[in-house]
Amino acid sequence: RPAIYQLLALGTGARRLHVSAAFSAKAKVAMSRFEPGSSINYEKMHENINIVRRRLNRPLTLSEKIVYGHLDDPAGQEIDRGRTYLRLRPDRVAMQDATAQMAMLQFISSGLPKVAVPSTIHCDHLIEAQIGGVQDLQKAKEVNQEVYNFLATAAAKYGVGFWKPGSGIIHQIILENYAYPGVMLIGTDSHTPNGGGLGAICIGVGGADAVDVMAGIPWELKCPKVIGVRLTGTLSGWTSPKDVILKVAGILTVKGGTGAIVEYHGPGVDSISCTGMATICNMGAEIGATTSVFPYNHRMRTYMEKTGRGEIASVADQFKDDLVPDKDCEYDQVIEINLSELKPHINGPFTPDLAHPVSEIGAIAKKSGWPLEVKVGLIGSCTNSSYEDMGRAASLAKQALDKGLKCKAQFTVTPGSEQIRATIERDGYAKILSDVGGIVLANACGPCIGQWDRRDVKKGEKNTIVTSFNRNFTARNDANPATHAFVTSPEIVTALALAGTLNFNPETDYLTAPNGEKFKLEPPTGEELPSRDFDPGQDTYQHPPAENSAVKVDVSPSSNRLQLLEPFDKWHGKDLEDMRILIKVKGKCTTDHISAAGPWLKFRGHLDNISNNLLIGAVNIENDAVNKVKNQLTGEYGGVPDVARHYKASGVNWVVVGDENYGEGSSREHAALEPRHLGGRAIIVKSFARIHETNLKKQGLLPLTFANPNDYDKIRPDDKISITGLKSFAPGKPLTAMIKHSDGSQESISLNHTFNETQIEWFKAGSALNRMKELQ
């Protein structure tokens, strides 16, 4: 078989990868980073697509081609969009350091000797932004030494590639190294869909799902519906790729994409750069989409050539028909956007689907009582940290500097990877952004996930920040619930940081130079890719050794950062009776509310310690307070985790009652592990976000939805709930909840679920991991 086909089967794991007759010294090093074991290549995918097309006898969307091309049994798999569960064989797994801790602890518990597919760990979440990139990275290495050592040794022991702290954000590293058109990758982070900008199906999952794939077990996914977004026209001027997804978020809302892949198509696609397409796919997580994807085109080819994967692009060209949608394929929903008419947008505060044109945000903020002064502008993150993003922001900064003007707001810059950092430093962008007032932070997630030691405002002080991030939930960035965070493009962030106010439209308004001269910013410009090759910067990759018998993975029993896992208890075979309501949640409840990030990230490898943040951000409907619930056994009020621990110690099971789209946001499975660890048995809500619902099932909990959403109002905080029908628990068969009120009255309601037969076995075994061990 030609070498390139072998390369695709192996998967690309190398920075600066070059496949040619004469290897350079660097290329030889890069080639050594291949990880064996991937089970898919273009030929196999092509064969599977043809089998499915013959069976379905209809044109296929691009999403269907890649997903069905990875079916474990393409000839026998039942396929019905939105109904059946697919058994899939993803090509590889990627984990960021905060979620990798629990994923690797679970993999260790499985007893398997080595991962079955190429897998990588990326150290990006544990670096706190405080002073600047160099100092913050050094501090993180010292503070997190125990965790980094665990991850590095666990990676070496079990055959996983390890990207050291400072290498960059997981999604940028994947785009630069591992993604390619048609690959299927799962990642333990909700913004894994970033890889869709390179024509890949990249899906965010919890750690237990990653363990399944690393163990070589077919991975289950409910057959996704497909939402088509048809793009016409051309991006120009102040409008950027970010505005596409900001607009789509405004249309679909935070739950409108649930259970669906968003597939972009149409003539407008070709006006968007590869990294711009990645930006759009990245923030698709904010509409609840399973993932998002673009069809293969010349922009992707150019990007792969610039990142050392030209040979793969050549093979992709040969299989291009499998990497674009069929003519006349059908979508479950179609949205049309004319890029020539699209205006710059800014979304927020407190939710990423509250969309406003930039031209109107000043007036809306005044009317709504939002602070107009922009305290901090933050560019970068996994969503917007490409070479093009930095170049366009720098073009605006240069115009201001030429007039003697610097940012009125504080300004921070987060490069997405060591390669981006080194290249923008070489090409002068970093100096321009620093000269205008910017602080260049570490190549890490930083403020986007709450890793920000912010000191310019006090907690509770009302203020406004604008970011090029993807998510802006209450208190997410700086732990201050009074911070009004808005998400927009790096270009608009830069313009608003220069102006120092939301009440500024760069398309029409003027800035004032120190000498009194008024001037208007010209629309931003920037090269899609560097004219010279990327500068890879420092080498921060650790390849797993060929011989790992001498590698030891130590977890100290006295550690407060790491804790080996104990199996959860099996279902006792009876109905769950007289369970207490731990909390009835009012309104939005994201995974940030359920298991906060920020300072809690340091406990992501210690289940008992991190469980002390369970639901401390959720609003209790009884008193509109956070982290204040009534202990029904003592009559006293306490923190949610404290009351949960008291119930568990007293042998009392409990449930959580919630609202719509419960568990939206991050993929963090700690939001499912914590309630299970502290004695929870069921989460009963109006609707779930996809990843969180799956995570709950994996840990042996019952994620249930009200058959009648109005039944949410029937439940009182002091009720007891019994869930019946578990002895005949079956797919498609509702369960019943008997509600016992404190006044002695009772009523019965119906609860729906989405369990299939395999997932019911997880529940009976106590968790998916327990079930895996039973089957070994």
Side-chain angles (χ1 to χ4, degrees):
R1 184 178 291 182
I4 188 61
Y5 291 102
Q6 297 174 28
L7 181 149
L8 288 169
L10 290 166
T12 64
R15 295 163 63 206
R16 299 166 288 189
L17 173 62
H18 298 280
V19 182
S20 60
F23 293 118
S24 67
K26 287 183 179 179
K28 288 179 180 176
V29 173
M31 289 290 287
S32 72
R33 291 177 180 168
F34 290 164
E35 299 96 340
S38 183
S39 61
I40 199 77
N41 58 34
Y42 281 148
E43 290 177 316
K44 179 64 175 175
M45 190 171 85
H46 180 73
E47 179 184 322
N48 288 357
I49 291 169
N50 285 339
I51 292 170
V52 172
R53 186 186 279 114
R54 285 195 296 269
R55 288 181 55 206
L56 299 182
N57 193 31
R58 62 170 174 81
L60 299 176
T61 68
L62 169 61
S63 310
E64 290 180 306
K65 288 181 180 182
I66 302 176
V67 172
Y68 303 161
H70 287 77
L71 285 170
D72 183 52
D73 179 15
Q77 172 73 60
E78 185 181 7
I79 299 171
D80 185 6
R81 293 199 316 216
R83 186 182 69 82
T84 58
Y85 281 87
L86 306 178
R87 289 167 61 82
L88 300 163
R89 292 285 186 177
D91 298 313
R92 63 183 310 125
V93 174
M95 300 166 280
Q96 41 95 334
D97 50 355
T99 50
Q101 295 171 62
M102 198 57 69
M104 292 308 294
L105 286 166
Q106 290 178 85
F107 188 82
I108 291 169
S109 297
S110 75
L112 296 169
K114 192 174 184 180
V115 296
V117 302
S119 304
T120 48
I121 293 170
H122 304 260
C123 294
D124 62 1
H125 270 57
L126 301 179
I127 302 167
E128 184 181 56
Q130 186 179 55
I131 301 169
V134 175
Q135 302 97 316
D136 294 345
L137 176 59
Q138 183 56 40
K139 181 180 178 182
K141 288 179 178 178
E142 295 167 1
V143 170
N144 301 307
Q145 181 181 5
E146 179 186 13
V147 171
Y148 290 149
N149 180 63
F150 166 72
L151 292 174
T153 54
K157 184 71 174 178
Y158 297 101
V160 176
F162 180 69
W163 290 83
K164 302 171 188 177
S167 59
I169 304 172
I170 178 173
H171 312 302
Q172 184 67 27
I173 298 293
I174 289 171
L175 199 71
E176 293 172 356
N177 296 274
Y178 300 116
Y180 61 85
V183 74
M184 175 175 274
L185 178 150
I186 66 165
T188 59
D189 190 280
S190 58
H191 293 108
T192 301
N194 189 79
L198 203 43
I201 290 292
C202 298
I203 301 175
V205 299
D209 276 340
V211 171
D212 279 355
V213 178
M214 290 191 293
I217 297 171
W219 173 61
E220 283 197 341
L221 176 72
K222 180 175 270 191
C223 188
K225 294 184 177 182
V226 187
I227 298 172
V229 179
R230 186 171 188 272
L231 303 178
T232 58
T234 305
L235 284 179
S236 63
W238 283 90
T239 306
S240 75
K242 186 68 163 284
D243 296 306
V244 176
I245 186 57
L246 294 173
K247 179 71 174 178
V248 170
I251 294 169
L252 287 176
T253 78
V254 291
K255 65 175 185 176
T258 303
I261 294 176
V262 178
E263 184 173 311
Y264 294 86
H265 62 284
V269 167
D270 285 343
S271 75
I272 305 172
S273 67
C274 177
T275 52
M277 290 187 262
T279 290
I280 294 167
C281 293
N282 177 294
M283 198 175 159
E286 271 44 79
I287 56 174
T290 300
T291 191
S292 301
V293 69
F294 277 83
Y296 178 56
N297 67 0
H298 72 280
R299 300 273 195 167
M300 297 180 190
R301 187 186 217 292
T302 302
Y303 182 79
M304 284 196 288
E305 289 171 344
K306 271 290 183 182
T307 51
R309 291 169 290 170
E311 292 285 349
I312 296 178
S314 296
V315 182
D317 288 342
Q318 298 173 37
F319 287 86
K320 186 171 182 180
D321 287 348
D322 292 339
L323 305 173
V324 296
D326 286 342
K327 185 180 178 182
D328 299 325
C329 65
E330 292 188 5
Y331 296 100
D332 294 284
Q333 178 183 350
V334 176
I335 296 168
E336 301 223 9
I337 296 177
N338 185 335
L339 300 178
S340 298
E341 298 174 355
L342 184 64
K343 290 293 185 181
H345 274 62
I346 183 169
N347 290 21
F350 305 122
T351 185
D353 58 351
L354 186 59
H356 323 278
V358 171
S359 59
E360 300 174 13
I361 188 61
I364 294 170
K366 286 180 184 176
K367 184 178 179 181
S368 304
W370 301 333
L372 282 174
E373 181 190 2
V374 174
K375 288 284 190 182
V376 191
L378 306 97
I379 66 170
S381 84
C382 65
T383 318
N384 276 115
S385 58
S386 68
Y387 185 82
E388 180 182 37
D389 288 329
M390 295 300 174
R392 284 170 65 88
S395 76
L396 299 173
K398 180 70 164 58
Q399 293 179 53
L401 288 170
D402 287 345
K403 298 290 185 179
L405 186 66
K406 292 190 175 185
C407 290
K408 289 186 178 178
Q410 293 183 45
F411 188 49
T412 71
V413 181
T414 304
S417 69
E418 170 62 7
Q419 178 165 275
I420 291 296
R421 182 209 61 77
T423 306
I424 65 170
E425 190 171 291
R426 180 197 69 191
D427 293 351
Y429 293 165
K431 185 178 189 308
I432 293 170
L433 294 169
S434 296
D435 288 348
V436 85
I439 298 173
V440 179
L441 301 175
N443 313 323
C445 301
C448 184
I449 60 161
Q451 283 284 47
W452 184 16
D453 184 18
R454 188 180 180 194
R455 299 182 180 183
D456 63 299
V457 296
K458 295 178 181 178
K459 191 168 184 177
E461 182 181 339
K462 214 172 165 183
N463 75 100
T464 285
I465 64 173
V466 290
T467 82
S468 69
F469 304 162
N470 42 43
R471 203 166 275 164
N472 60 344
F473 301 141
T474 302
R476 176 177 173 86
N477 301 124
D478 61 359
N480 181 3
T483 293
H484 292 55
F486 296 83
V487 291
T488 185
S489 68
E491 300 93 304
I492 296 298
V493 171
T494 305
L496 296 182
L498 288 166
T501 176
L502 285 179
N503 193 26
F504 178 75
N505 178 8
E507 292 188 293
T508 59
D509 295 344
Y510 288 78
L511 294 170
T512 303
N515 65 2
E517 177 190 354
K518 293 190 177 299
F519 70 99
K520 197 165 77 169
L521 293 168
E522 294 295 323
T525 58
E527 295 295 326
E528 179 178 344
L529 295 164
S531 55
R532 292 183 280 171
D533 285 345
F534 279 106
D535 182 342
Q538 298 180 37
D539 190 352
T540 52
Y541 177 77
Q542 170 189 296
H543 192 69
E547 173 54 50
N548 62 3
S549 59
V551 179
K552 292 185 178 180
V553 183
D554 293 323
V555 176
S556 169
S558 61
S559 172
N560 71 345
R561 297 286 303 268
L562 298 165
Q563 180 186 46
L564 292 175
L565 297 174
E566 294 293 331
F568 290 130
D569 60 315
K570 293 184 178 183
W571 175 54
H572 53 39
K574 306 172 186 176
D575 289 335
L576 299 171
E577 297 183 344
D578 292 338
M579 296 183 289
R580 290 292 185 178
I581 312 285
L582 177 63
I583 182 173
K584 182 179 178 182
V585 178
K586 176 182 177 181
K588 185 185 283 282
C589 190
T590 72
T591 48
D592 280 336
H593 295 89
I594 304 167
S595 176
W600 291 95
L601 283 167
K602 60 177 168 286
F603 297 125
R604 283 284 182 87
H606 197 294
L607 180 55
D608 193 58
N609 283 347
I610 200 169
S611 293
N612 289 323
N613 77 359
L614 174 64
L615 286 158
I616 61 175
V619 177
N620 182 5
I621 198 169
E622 181 185 13
N623 52 17
D624 280 337
V626 295
N627 203 26
K628 185 179 180 182
V629 295
K630 188 174 183 179
N631 185 325
Q632 301 298 333
L633 301 183
T634 66
E636 299 175 351
Y637 282 86
V640 181
D642 299 325
V643 173
R645 287 185 186 277
H646 188 262
Y647 286 164
K648 181 181 180 181
S650 303
V652 175
N653 292 327
W654 52 262
V655 304
V656 171
V657 176
D659 212 315
E660 296 278 6
N661 207 31
Y662 184 90
E664 70 172 278
S666 167
S667 69
R668 68 192 65 151
E669 66 179 338
H670 300 78
L673 283 160
E674 292 174 34
R676 182 74 166 96
H677 176 63
L678 295 186
R681 292 295 175 180
I683 312 294
I684 306 169
V685 301
K686 294 180 182 178
S687 65
F688 284 102
R690 174 191 65 87
I691 299 176
H692 186 59
E693 181 181 23
T694 301
N695 286 345
L696 291 168
K697 292 177 183 177
K698 287 276 186 179
Q699 303 307 334
L701 283 150
L702 290 171
L704 306 171
T705 56
F706 296 104
N708 179 357
N710 293 329
D711 287 344
Y712 169 89
D713 298 320
K714 294 180 179 179
I715 297 179
R716 306 167 193 169
D718 60 352
D719 287 342
K720 292 181 179 179
I721 289 183
S722 297
I723 295 175
T724 62
L726 289 173
K727 290 182 180 179
S728 57
F729 194 9
K733 182 179 180 182
L735 297 171
T736 299
M738 181 62 67
I739 307 169
K740 297 179 182 179
H741 300 303
S742 57
D743 61 9
S745 61
Q746 297 186 19
E747 51 190 315
S748 176
I749 62 173
S750 180
L751 300 175
N752 294 332
H753 65 85
T754 61
F755 280 82
N756 61 25
E757 291 179 358
T758 299
Q759 294 167 346
I760 289 172
E761 292 301 320
W762 299 346
F763 168 74
K764 291 179 178 178
S767 71
L769 188 58
N770 287 0
R771 181 59 177 161
M772 183 194 297
K773 289 181 179 178
E774 288 178 355
L775 295 174
Q776 283 180 11

